[in-house]
Short mmCIF file of all heavy atoms in Angstrom, two decimals:
data_model
loop_
_atom_site.label_atom_id
_atom_site.label_comp_id
_atom_site.label_asym_id
_atom_site.label_seq_id
_atom_site.Cartn_x
_atom_site.Cartn_y
_atom_site.Cartn_z
N MET A 258 -34.15 43.87 -18.95
CA MET A 258 -33.88 42.59 -18.53
C MET A 258 -32.79 42.63 -17.49
O MET A 258 -31.80 43.35 -17.62
CB MET A 258 -33.29 41.80 -19.84
CG MET A 258 -32.86 40.43 -19.44
SD MET A 258 -32.18 39.61 -20.97
CE MET A 258 -33.50 38.60 -21.25
N THR A 259 -33.03 41.70 -16.47
CA THR A 259 -31.99 41.71 -15.47
C THR A 259 -31.12 40.44 -15.55
O THR A 259 -31.74 39.37 -15.65
CB THR A 259 -32.65 41.71 -14.03
OG1 THR A 259 -33.55 42.94 -14.00
CG2 THR A 259 -31.81 41.85 -12.86
N THR A 260 -29.89 40.49 -15.32
CA THR A 260 -29.07 39.50 -15.32
C THR A 260 -28.38 39.27 -13.90
O THR A 260 -27.88 40.27 -13.28
CB THR A 260 -27.80 39.69 -16.22
OG1 THR A 260 -28.24 39.90 -17.55
CG2 THR A 260 -26.94 38.48 -16.26
N ILE A 261 -28.50 38.17 -13.30
CA ILE A 261 -28.15 37.72 -12.00
C ILE A 261 -26.97 36.85 -12.10
O ILE A 261 -26.95 35.80 -12.76
CB ILE A 261 -29.24 37.23 -11.13
CG1 ILE A 261 -30.44 37.85 -10.97
CG2 ILE A 261 -28.66 36.68 -9.83
CD1 ILE A 261 -31.54 37.34 -10.25
N THR A 262 -25.86 37.22 -11.59
CA THR A 262 -24.61 36.47 -11.56
C THR A 262 -24.22 36.21 -10.09
O THR A 262 -24.41 36.99 -9.23
CB THR A 262 -23.48 37.17 -12.40
OG1 THR A 262 -23.27 38.35 -11.72
CG2 THR A 262 -23.92 37.37 -13.75
N GLN A 263 -23.52 35.17 -9.85
CA GLN A 263 -23.08 34.82 -8.62
C GLN A 263 -21.49 34.70 -8.75
O GLN A 263 -20.99 34.11 -9.63
CB GLN A 263 -23.58 33.43 -8.24
CG GLN A 263 -24.70 33.50 -7.39
CD GLN A 263 -25.01 32.13 -6.73
OE1 GLN A 263 -24.77 31.09 -7.42
NE2 GLN A 263 -25.61 32.09 -5.62
N GLN A 264 -20.86 35.38 -7.83
CA GLN A 264 -19.31 35.23 -7.74
C GLN A 264 -19.12 34.01 -6.83
O GLN A 264 -19.55 34.02 -5.72
CB GLN A 264 -18.77 36.49 -7.19
CG GLN A 264 -19.00 37.60 -8.17
CD GLN A 264 -18.30 38.85 -7.58
OE1 GLN A 264 -17.82 38.77 -6.53
NE2 GLN A 264 -18.27 39.86 -8.37
N SER A 265 -18.40 33.09 -7.38
CA SER A 265 -18.00 32.02 -6.46
C SER A 265 -17.07 32.30 -5.42
O SER A 265 -16.11 33.07 -5.83
CB SER A 265 -17.49 30.88 -7.32
OG SER A 265 -16.23 31.12 -8.00
N ARG A 266 -17.15 31.86 -4.36
CA ARG A 266 -16.12 32.12 -3.17
C ARG A 266 -15.05 31.19 -3.28
O ARG A 266 -15.11 30.01 -2.75
CB ARG A 266 -16.79 32.31 -1.95
CG ARG A 266 -17.73 33.30 -1.69
CD ARG A 266 -18.10 33.22 -0.25
NE ARG A 266 -18.75 34.53 0.03
CZ ARG A 266 -19.03 34.89 1.40
NH1 ARG A 266 -18.96 34.00 2.33
NH2 ARG A 266 -19.54 36.07 1.65
N SER A 267 -13.99 31.58 -3.96
CA SER A 267 -12.87 30.53 -3.93
C SER A 267 -12.01 30.70 -2.61
O SER A 267 -11.96 31.83 -2.14
CB SER A 267 -12.05 30.77 -5.20
OG SER A 267 -11.43 31.99 -5.14
N PRO A 268 -11.55 29.69 -2.16
CA PRO A 268 -10.72 29.83 -0.93
C PRO A 268 -9.46 30.74 -1.16
O PRO A 268 -8.94 30.74 -2.20
CB PRO A 268 -10.16 28.37 -0.65
CG PRO A 268 -10.95 27.43 -1.53
CD PRO A 268 -11.61 28.21 -2.60
N SER A 269 -9.19 31.46 -0.27
CA SER A 269 -8.00 32.41 -0.50
C SER A 269 -6.80 31.73 -0.53
O SER A 269 -6.59 30.61 -0.11
CB SER A 269 -8.05 33.46 0.80
OG SER A 269 -7.53 32.70 1.88
N TRP A 270 -5.61 32.33 -1.05
CA TRP A 270 -4.44 31.80 -1.21
C TRP A 270 -3.83 31.28 0.21
O TRP A 270 -3.36 30.25 0.30
CB TRP A 270 -3.51 32.78 -1.83
CG TRP A 270 -2.09 32.25 -2.08
CD1 TRP A 270 -1.70 31.55 -3.18
CD2 TRP A 270 -1.05 32.51 -1.21
NE1 TRP A 270 -0.41 31.26 -2.95
CE2 TRP A 270 0.06 31.80 -1.82
CE3 TRP A 270 -0.82 33.28 -0.04
CZ2 TRP A 270 1.25 31.81 -1.22
CZ3 TRP A 270 0.38 33.10 0.54
CH2 TRP A 270 1.55 32.49 -0.06
N LEU A 271 -4.06 32.13 1.16
CA LEU A 271 -3.44 31.90 2.48
C LEU A 271 -4.26 30.64 3.08
O LEU A 271 -3.49 29.77 3.66
CB LEU A 271 -3.78 33.06 3.48
CG LEU A 271 -3.17 32.97 4.81
CD1 LEU A 271 -1.78 32.66 4.84
CD2 LEU A 271 -3.54 34.11 5.59
N ARG A 272 -5.55 30.46 2.89
CA ARG A 272 -6.28 29.43 3.40
C ARG A 272 -5.75 28.05 2.69
O ARG A 272 -5.71 27.12 3.45
CB ARG A 272 -7.79 29.63 3.33
CG ARG A 272 -8.52 29.20 4.47
CD ARG A 272 -10.08 29.31 4.26
NE ARG A 272 -10.37 30.62 3.86
CZ ARG A 272 -11.49 30.95 3.32
NH1 ARG A 272 -12.49 30.08 3.22
NH2 ARG A 272 -11.65 32.14 2.85
N LEU A 273 -5.52 28.09 1.51
CA LEU A 273 -5.12 26.94 0.79
C LEU A 273 -3.77 26.51 1.31
O LEU A 273 -3.45 25.28 1.59
CB LEU A 273 -4.98 27.26 -0.73
CG LEU A 273 -6.29 27.21 -1.53
CD1 LEU A 273 -6.16 27.57 -2.96
CD2 LEU A 273 -6.96 25.80 -1.48
N HIS A 274 -2.84 27.37 1.53
CA HIS A 274 -1.45 27.11 1.88
C HIS A 274 -1.51 26.74 3.42
O HIS A 274 -0.68 25.80 3.84
CB HIS A 274 -0.52 28.18 1.51
CG HIS A 274 -0.13 28.39 0.19
ND1 HIS A 274 0.61 27.37 -0.43
CD2 HIS A 274 -0.59 29.24 -0.84
CE1 HIS A 274 0.70 27.64 -1.66
NE2 HIS A 274 -0.04 28.83 -1.94
N SER A 275 -2.33 27.18 4.20
CA SER A 275 -2.34 26.78 5.69
C SER A 275 -2.86 25.40 5.74
O SER A 275 -2.41 24.62 6.50
CB SER A 275 -3.19 27.84 6.40
OG SER A 275 -4.53 27.79 6.11
N ARG A 276 -3.81 25.13 4.88
CA ARG A 276 -4.29 23.68 4.85
C ARG A 276 -3.22 22.71 4.43
O ARG A 276 -3.07 21.63 5.08
CB ARG A 276 -5.52 23.49 3.88
CG ARG A 276 -6.75 23.99 4.47
CD ARG A 276 -7.85 23.93 3.55
NE ARG A 276 -9.01 24.55 4.01
CZ ARG A 276 -10.17 24.87 3.33
NH1 ARG A 276 -10.07 24.44 1.96
NH2 ARG A 276 -11.20 25.49 3.71
N HIS A 277 -2.47 23.08 3.44
CA HIS A 277 -1.28 22.32 3.03
C HIS A 277 -0.26 22.00 4.15
O HIS A 277 0.09 20.92 4.41
CB HIS A 277 -0.57 22.90 1.79
CG HIS A 277 0.54 22.24 1.29
ND1 HIS A 277 0.58 21.04 0.59
CD2 HIS A 277 1.91 22.63 1.45
CE1 HIS A 277 1.80 20.74 0.37
NE2 HIS A 277 2.57 21.59 0.82
N TRP A 278 0.13 23.11 4.79
CA TRP A 278 1.01 23.02 5.98
C TRP A 278 0.45 22.16 7.12
O TRP A 278 1.22 21.42 7.72
CB TRP A 278 1.46 24.44 6.39
CG TRP A 278 2.34 25.09 5.53
CD1 TRP A 278 2.17 26.21 4.68
CD2 TRP A 278 3.74 24.77 5.23
NE1 TRP A 278 3.14 26.53 3.99
CE2 TRP A 278 4.17 25.62 4.26
CE3 TRP A 278 4.63 23.82 5.76
CZ2 TRP A 278 5.48 25.51 3.80
CZ3 TRP A 278 5.92 23.70 5.33
CH2 TRP A 278 6.34 24.68 4.34
N LEU A 279 -0.82 22.40 7.30
CA LEU A 279 -1.41 21.54 8.37
C LEU A 279 -1.43 20.08 7.94
O LEU A 279 -0.98 19.29 8.87
CB LEU A 279 -2.88 22.11 8.55
CG LEU A 279 -3.71 21.31 9.65
CD1 LEU A 279 -3.01 21.54 11.16
CD2 LEU A 279 -5.15 21.74 9.70
N SER A 280 -1.69 19.68 6.83
CA SER A 280 -1.55 18.29 6.39
C SER A 280 -0.21 17.82 6.54
O SER A 280 0.02 16.63 6.93
CB SER A 280 -2.14 18.07 5.05
OG SER A 280 -1.34 18.68 4.07
N LEU A 281 0.80 18.58 6.18
CA LEU A 281 2.13 18.15 6.25
C LEU A 281 2.62 17.93 7.67
O LEU A 281 3.25 16.98 8.04
CB LEU A 281 3.14 19.21 5.62
CG LEU A 281 3.23 19.20 4.11
CD1 LEU A 281 4.13 20.35 3.63
CD2 LEU A 281 3.67 17.91 3.50
N ALA A 282 2.08 18.80 8.61
CA ALA A 282 2.33 18.72 10.04
C ALA A 282 1.85 17.43 10.56
O ALA A 282 2.38 16.64 11.33
CB ALA A 282 1.94 19.92 10.80
N VAL A 283 0.54 17.09 10.22
CA VAL A 283 -0.10 15.90 10.70
C VAL A 283 0.63 14.63 10.19
O VAL A 283 0.75 13.69 10.90
CB VAL A 283 -1.57 15.96 10.24
CG1 VAL A 283 -2.28 14.52 10.41
CG2 VAL A 283 -2.47 17.12 10.98
N GLU A 284 1.07 14.74 8.84
CA GLU A 284 1.80 13.56 8.30
C GLU A 284 3.05 13.36 9.06
O GLU A 284 3.44 12.33 9.44
CB GLU A 284 1.91 13.91 6.90
CG GLU A 284 2.60 12.69 6.15
CD GLU A 284 2.77 12.83 4.73
OE1 GLU A 284 2.10 13.87 4.14
OE2 GLU A 284 3.60 12.19 4.03
N LEU A 285 3.78 14.45 9.32
CA LEU A 285 5.12 14.33 10.04
C LEU A 285 4.80 13.78 11.47
O LEU A 285 5.63 13.02 11.90
CB LEU A 285 5.75 15.70 10.14
CG LEU A 285 6.45 16.09 8.76
CD1 LEU A 285 7.19 17.60 8.95
CD2 LEU A 285 7.69 15.04 8.60
N GLY A 286 3.82 14.26 12.15
CA GLY A 286 3.53 13.75 13.43
C GLY A 286 3.09 12.37 13.47
O GLY A 286 3.59 11.51 14.33
N GLY A 287 2.40 11.84 12.36
CA GLY A 287 2.10 10.43 12.30
C GLY A 287 3.39 9.56 11.98
O GLY A 287 3.48 8.48 12.60
N ASP A 288 4.30 10.20 11.18
CA ASP A 288 5.57 9.39 11.03
C ASP A 288 6.23 9.26 12.21
O ASP A 288 6.94 8.18 12.42
CB ASP A 288 6.13 10.12 9.80
CG ASP A 288 5.61 9.90 8.52
OD1 ASP A 288 4.67 9.15 8.28
OD2 ASP A 288 6.05 10.62 7.55
N ALA A 289 6.38 10.30 13.00
CA ALA A 289 7.13 10.31 14.15
C ALA A 289 6.62 9.34 15.15
O ALA A 289 7.28 8.58 15.85
CB ALA A 289 7.24 11.74 14.74
N LEU A 290 5.29 9.21 15.32
CA LEU A 290 4.61 8.35 16.32
C LEU A 290 4.92 6.88 15.74
O LEU A 290 5.20 6.18 16.59
CB LEU A 290 3.06 8.62 16.33
CG LEU A 290 2.23 7.69 17.20
CD1 LEU A 290 2.72 7.96 18.66
CD2 LEU A 290 0.81 8.05 16.98
N ALA A 291 4.82 6.63 14.44
CA ALA A 291 5.06 5.27 13.99
C ALA A 291 6.52 4.89 14.30
O ALA A 291 6.75 3.80 14.67
CB ALA A 291 4.79 5.19 12.55
N SER A 292 7.51 5.81 14.02
CA SER A 292 8.90 5.54 14.34
C SER A 292 9.08 5.39 15.91
O SER A 292 9.81 4.27 16.18
CB SER A 292 9.68 6.67 13.89
OG SER A 292 10.95 6.45 14.20
N TRP A 293 8.47 6.08 16.72
CA TRP A 293 8.59 5.87 18.13
C TRP A 293 8.05 4.48 18.63
O TRP A 293 8.68 3.73 19.35
CB TRP A 293 7.82 6.96 18.89
CG TRP A 293 7.92 6.91 20.36
CD1 TRP A 293 9.04 7.15 21.19
CD2 TRP A 293 7.00 6.29 21.28
NE1 TRP A 293 8.83 6.84 22.36
CE2 TRP A 293 7.47 6.44 22.51
CE3 TRP A 293 5.69 5.81 21.02
CZ2 TRP A 293 6.86 5.89 23.80
CZ3 TRP A 293 5.03 5.35 22.11
CH2 TRP A 293 5.58 5.50 23.41
N ARG A 294 6.91 4.12 18.08
CA ARG A 294 6.28 2.82 18.37
C ARG A 294 7.17 1.67 17.90
O ARG A 294 7.27 0.62 18.57
CB ARG A 294 4.84 2.69 17.78
CG ARG A 294 3.84 3.47 18.59
CD ARG A 294 2.52 3.27 17.96
NE ARG A 294 1.53 4.04 18.73
CZ ARG A 294 0.28 4.43 18.26
NH1 ARG A 294 -0.08 4.01 17.11
NH2 ARG A 294 -0.56 5.04 19.07
N ARG A 295 7.67 1.81 16.79
CA ARG A 295 8.56 0.81 16.20
C ARG A 295 9.75 0.64 17.09
O ARG A 295 10.31 -0.47 17.37
CB ARG A 295 9.04 1.17 14.67
CG ARG A 295 9.63 0.09 14.00
CD ARG A 295 9.85 0.45 12.46
NE ARG A 295 10.15 1.79 12.19
CZ ARG A 295 9.10 2.59 11.52
NH1 ARG A 295 7.88 2.17 11.38
NH2 ARG A 295 9.39 3.88 11.38
N ARG A 296 10.40 1.72 17.52
CA ARG A 296 11.62 1.70 18.40
C ARG A 296 11.23 1.17 19.79
O ARG A 296 12.04 0.18 20.22
CB ARG A 296 12.08 3.22 18.53
CG ARG A 296 13.34 3.20 19.11
CD ARG A 296 14.07 4.55 19.14
NE ARG A 296 13.07 5.72 19.48
CZ ARG A 296 12.69 6.66 18.62
NH1 ARG A 296 12.96 6.58 17.49
NH2 ARG A 296 11.90 7.52 19.16
N GLN A 297 10.08 1.34 20.27
CA GLN A 297 9.61 0.82 21.54
C GLN A 297 9.48 -0.69 21.38
O GLN A 297 9.88 -1.41 22.20
CB GLN A 297 8.35 1.43 22.02
CG GLN A 297 8.58 2.92 22.49
CD GLN A 297 9.47 3.08 23.58
OE1 GLN A 297 10.63 3.32 23.36
NE2 GLN A 297 8.91 2.92 24.75
N SER A 298 8.85 -1.09 20.31
CA SER A 298 8.73 -2.63 20.11
C SER A 298 10.03 -3.29 19.91
O SER A 298 10.19 -4.39 20.46
CB SER A 298 8.01 -2.78 18.74
OG SER A 298 6.65 -2.36 18.80
N LEU A 299 11.04 -2.67 19.18
CA LEU A 299 12.33 -3.38 19.14
C LEU A 299 13.06 -3.46 20.41
O LEU A 299 13.70 -4.34 20.76
CB LEU A 299 13.22 -2.57 18.21
CG LEU A 299 12.80 -2.76 16.63
CD1 LEU A 299 13.68 -1.80 15.75
CD2 LEU A 299 12.98 -4.20 16.23
N ARG A 300 12.91 -2.33 21.31
CA ARG A 300 13.46 -2.46 22.66
C ARG A 300 12.79 -3.49 23.53
O ARG A 300 13.53 -4.22 24.27
CB ARG A 300 13.30 -1.07 23.42
CG ARG A 300 14.17 -0.01 22.87
CD ARG A 300 14.03 1.24 23.65
NE ARG A 300 14.82 2.48 23.24
CZ ARG A 300 14.80 3.61 23.55
NH1 ARG A 300 14.05 3.81 24.48
NH2 ARG A 300 15.65 4.43 23.08
N ALA A 301 11.52 -3.68 23.33
CA ALA A 301 10.88 -4.79 24.12
C ALA A 301 11.40 -6.10 23.74
O ALA A 301 11.63 -7.02 24.54
CB ALA A 301 9.31 -4.75 23.84
N LEU A 302 11.64 -6.30 22.34
CA LEU A 302 12.10 -7.54 21.87
C LEU A 302 13.55 -7.79 22.42
O LEU A 302 13.96 -8.89 22.74
CB LEU A 302 12.00 -7.58 20.28
CG LEU A 302 10.89 -8.02 19.63
CD1 LEU A 302 10.98 -7.82 18.21
CD2 LEU A 302 10.53 -9.47 19.95
N GLU A 303 14.31 -6.66 22.32
CA GLU A 303 15.60 -6.72 22.78
C GLU A 303 15.76 -7.11 24.23
O GLU A 303 16.75 -7.71 24.58
CB GLU A 303 16.37 -5.35 22.60
CG GLU A 303 17.75 -5.40 22.21
CD GLU A 303 18.21 -4.02 21.79
OE1 GLU A 303 17.93 -3.04 22.65
OE2 GLU A 303 18.72 -3.81 20.71
N ALA A 304 14.85 -6.78 25.03
CA ALA A 304 14.80 -7.11 26.47
C ALA A 304 14.54 -8.53 26.89
O ALA A 304 14.84 -8.96 27.97
CB ALA A 304 13.87 -6.11 27.24
N LEU A 305 13.97 -9.25 25.90
CA LEU A 305 13.65 -10.57 26.17
C LEU A 305 14.89 -11.49 26.22
O LEU A 305 15.97 -11.27 25.52
CB LEU A 305 12.79 -11.09 24.93
CG LEU A 305 11.41 -10.59 24.91
CD1 LEU A 305 10.77 -11.08 23.59
CD2 LEU A 305 10.57 -10.84 26.06
N PRO A 306 14.89 -12.60 27.14
CA PRO A 306 16.03 -13.39 27.16
C PRO A 306 16.19 -14.27 25.84
O PRO A 306 15.25 -14.43 25.15
CB PRO A 306 15.63 -14.40 28.28
CG PRO A 306 14.31 -14.02 28.75
CD PRO A 306 13.75 -12.83 28.06
N ALA A 307 17.39 -14.72 25.65
CA ALA A 307 17.76 -15.42 24.48
C ALA A 307 16.92 -16.73 24.15
O ALA A 307 16.44 -16.94 23.13
CB ALA A 307 19.25 -15.84 24.41
N ASP A 308 16.65 -17.39 25.29
CA ASP A 308 15.72 -18.56 25.08
C ASP A 308 14.35 -18.16 24.63
O ASP A 308 13.81 -18.92 23.80
CB ASP A 308 15.59 -19.26 26.52
CG ASP A 308 16.83 -19.89 26.95
OD1 ASP A 308 17.73 -20.12 26.09
OD2 ASP A 308 17.04 -20.09 28.11
N THR A 309 13.69 -17.10 25.18
CA THR A 309 12.45 -16.69 24.62
C THR A 309 12.52 -16.22 23.17
O THR A 309 11.64 -16.56 22.35
CB THR A 309 11.87 -15.50 25.38
OG1 THR A 309 11.88 -15.91 26.83
CG2 THR A 309 10.47 -15.09 25.06
N LEU A 310 13.46 -15.55 22.77
CA LEU A 310 13.74 -15.09 21.40
C LEU A 310 13.84 -16.38 20.46
O LEU A 310 13.30 -16.45 19.40
CB LEU A 310 15.00 -14.25 21.26
CG LEU A 310 14.77 -12.79 21.72
CD1 LEU A 310 16.21 -12.14 21.67
CD2 LEU A 310 13.79 -12.06 20.97
N LYS A 311 14.57 -17.30 21.05
CA LYS A 311 14.63 -18.69 20.19
C LYS A 311 13.29 -19.24 20.05
O LYS A 311 13.00 -19.82 18.99
CB LYS A 311 15.69 -19.56 20.94
CG LYS A 311 15.94 -20.84 20.22
CD LYS A 311 16.93 -21.63 21.04
CE LYS A 311 17.15 -23.07 20.34
NZ LYS A 311 18.02 -23.88 21.09
N ASP A 312 12.53 -19.26 21.11
CA ASP A 312 11.16 -19.95 21.10
C ASP A 312 10.30 -19.21 20.14
O ASP A 312 9.38 -19.94 19.50
CB ASP A 312 10.56 -19.95 22.48
CG ASP A 312 11.30 -20.89 23.55
OD1 ASP A 312 12.03 -21.78 23.11
OD2 ASP A 312 11.11 -20.69 24.71
N ILE A 313 10.37 -17.93 19.92
CA ILE A 313 9.45 -17.17 18.98
C ILE A 313 10.04 -17.19 17.59
O ILE A 313 9.44 -16.67 16.64
CB ILE A 313 9.09 -15.85 19.50
CG1 ILE A 313 10.36 -14.98 19.54
CG2 ILE A 313 8.37 -15.90 20.86
CD1 ILE A 313 10.11 -13.58 19.84
N GLY A 314 11.21 -17.87 17.47
CA GLY A 314 11.73 -17.98 16.04
C GLY A 314 12.60 -16.76 15.58
O GLY A 314 12.79 -16.63 14.45
N TRP A 315 13.11 -16.00 16.61
CA TRP A 315 13.93 -14.99 16.16
C TRP A 315 15.40 -15.53 15.82
O TRP A 315 15.84 -16.36 16.58
CB TRP A 315 14.10 -13.99 17.46
CG TRP A 315 14.60 -12.69 17.12
CD1 TRP A 315 15.89 -12.16 17.17
CD2 TRP A 315 13.85 -11.57 16.51
NE1 TRP A 315 16.09 -10.90 16.76
CE2 TRP A 315 14.88 -10.57 16.32
CE3 TRP A 315 12.61 -11.37 16.12
CZ2 TRP A 315 14.47 -9.33 15.75
CZ3 TRP A 315 12.20 -10.27 15.59
CH2 TRP A 315 13.16 -9.14 15.44
N PRO A 316 15.91 -15.04 14.81
CA PRO A 316 17.18 -15.55 14.35
C PRO A 316 18.23 -15.26 15.48
O PRO A 316 18.32 -14.22 16.12
CB PRO A 316 17.46 -14.80 13.10
CG PRO A 316 16.65 -13.73 13.00
CD PRO A 316 15.54 -13.88 13.85
N SER A 317 19.26 -16.23 15.59
CA SER A 317 20.32 -16.08 16.66
C SER A 317 21.55 -15.98 15.90
O SER A 317 21.77 -16.30 14.82
CB SER A 317 20.26 -17.18 17.58
OG SER A 317 20.60 -18.44 16.81
N SER A 318 22.58 -15.47 16.59
CA SER A 318 23.91 -15.37 16.07
C SER A 318 24.81 -16.32 16.76
O SER A 318 24.59 -16.70 17.93
CB SER A 318 24.44 -14.02 16.14
OG SER A 318 24.57 -13.60 17.34
N ASP A 319 26.03 -16.67 16.14
CA ASP A 319 26.93 -17.63 16.81
C ASP A 319 27.75 -16.92 17.93
O ASP A 319 28.06 -17.48 18.88
CB ASP A 319 27.93 -18.08 15.70
CG ASP A 319 27.22 -19.12 14.88
OD1 ASP A 319 26.06 -19.61 15.10
OD2 ASP A 319 27.80 -19.47 13.74
N SER A 320 28.05 -15.64 17.66
CA SER A 320 28.77 -14.88 18.67
C SER A 320 27.82 -14.45 19.75
O SER A 320 26.76 -14.87 19.79
CB SER A 320 29.50 -13.68 18.00
OG SER A 320 28.50 -12.84 17.51
N LYS A 321 28.33 -13.55 20.62
CA LYS A 321 27.41 -12.95 21.64
C LYS A 321 26.13 -12.39 21.08
O LYS A 321 26.05 -12.09 19.87
CB LYS A 321 28.19 -11.96 22.40
CG LYS A 321 28.54 -10.70 21.76
CD LYS A 321 29.28 -9.71 22.66
CE LYS A 321 29.62 -8.48 21.94
NZ LYS A 321 30.28 -7.53 22.74
N ARG A 322 25.17 -12.34 21.89
CA ARG A 322 23.98 -11.86 21.40
C ARG A 322 24.03 -10.45 20.65
O ARG A 322 24.53 -9.50 21.12
CB ARG A 322 22.92 -11.59 22.76
CG ARG A 322 21.60 -11.41 22.41
CD ARG A 322 20.73 -11.42 23.58
NE ARG A 322 19.36 -10.89 23.23
CZ ARG A 322 18.62 -10.29 24.13
NH1 ARG A 322 18.92 -10.26 25.41
NH2 ARG A 322 17.33 -10.03 23.79
N MET A 323 23.40 -10.60 19.45
CA MET A 323 23.55 -9.31 18.76
C MET A 323 22.36 -8.34 19.00
O MET A 323 21.40 -8.76 19.35
CB MET A 323 23.54 -9.68 17.17
CG MET A 323 22.25 -10.00 16.52
SD MET A 323 22.58 -10.42 14.73
CE MET A 323 20.99 -10.18 14.22
N ARG A 324 22.73 -7.08 18.74
CA ARG A 324 21.68 -6.00 19.06
C ARG A 324 20.83 -5.94 17.87
O ARG A 324 21.08 -6.09 16.77
CB ARG A 324 22.43 -4.74 19.09
CG ARG A 324 23.55 -4.57 20.18
CD ARG A 324 23.14 -4.39 21.52
NE ARG A 324 22.24 -3.18 21.59
CZ ARG A 324 21.53 -2.98 22.68
NH1 ARG A 324 21.48 -3.85 23.67
NH2 ARG A 324 20.82 -1.88 22.68
N ILE A 325 19.49 -5.82 18.29
CA ILE A 325 18.35 -5.71 17.25
C ILE A 325 18.37 -4.30 16.71
O ILE A 325 18.22 -4.08 15.55
CB ILE A 325 17.08 -6.12 17.94
CG1 ILE A 325 17.15 -7.64 18.37
CG2 ILE A 325 15.89 -5.90 16.96
CD1 ILE A 325 15.96 -8.01 19.13
N ALA A 326 18.40 -3.23 17.57
CA ALA A 326 18.21 -1.88 17.12
C ALA A 326 19.51 -1.26 17.28
O ALA A 326 20.20 -1.38 18.27
CB ALA A 326 17.13 -1.24 17.97
N ALA A 327 19.73 -0.48 16.27
CA ALA A 327 21.09 0.39 16.40
C ALA A 327 20.82 1.67 17.28
O ALA A 327 19.67 2.22 17.26
CB ALA A 327 21.49 0.93 14.94
N LYS A 328 21.78 1.93 18.06
CA LYS A 328 21.56 3.11 18.92
C LYS A 328 22.16 4.24 18.34
O LYS A 328 22.95 4.32 17.67
CB LYS A 328 22.27 2.90 20.36
CG LYS A 328 21.44 1.84 21.10
CD LYS A 328 21.92 1.73 22.57
CE LYS A 328 21.04 0.83 23.36
NZ LYS A 328 21.39 0.86 24.72
#
């Protein structure tokens, strides 16, 4: 009688860890891109005149125009 067995090819330890690092790198890149876009949007809002900000409903301050984004 002959018994046929198959050895499953499990991914190697190195391959599993490289996928993990790759996913972390992609996630960090996405976070950095989102942060950059958010900062650019705030800069664009900051560049608008006070009257335009008032028209779109942006809150105003009693003192001089307050900064939207911290530098």
Side-chain angles (χ1 to χ4, degrees):
M258 173 182 258
T259 305
T260 305
I261 300 174
T262 59
Q263 267 188 325
Q264 293 181 352
S265 63
R266 287 186 165 189
S267 62
S269 71
W270 180 84
L271 181 62
R272 220 179 313 161
L273 282 175
H274 286 288
S275 64
R276 286 182 188 164
H277 174 71
W278 285 107
L279 181 62
S280 68
L281 284 177
V283 168
E284 185 178 344
L285 279 174
D288 290 347
L290 180 63
S292 174
W293 180 81
R294 285 183 176 160
R295 190 170 36 254
R296 194 169 46 248
Q297 292 299 96
S298 296
L299 287 175
R300 284 185 182 175
L302 275 173
E303 215 172 49
L305 293 174
D308 293 336
T309 305
L310 289 174
K311 184 179 173 185
D312 289 344
I313 63 172
W315 197 262
S317 62
S318 65
D319 292 344
S320 62
K321 65 180 182 177
R322 187 172 171 202
M323 77 183 204
R324 301 282 303 166
I325 297 170
K328 287 190 175 188

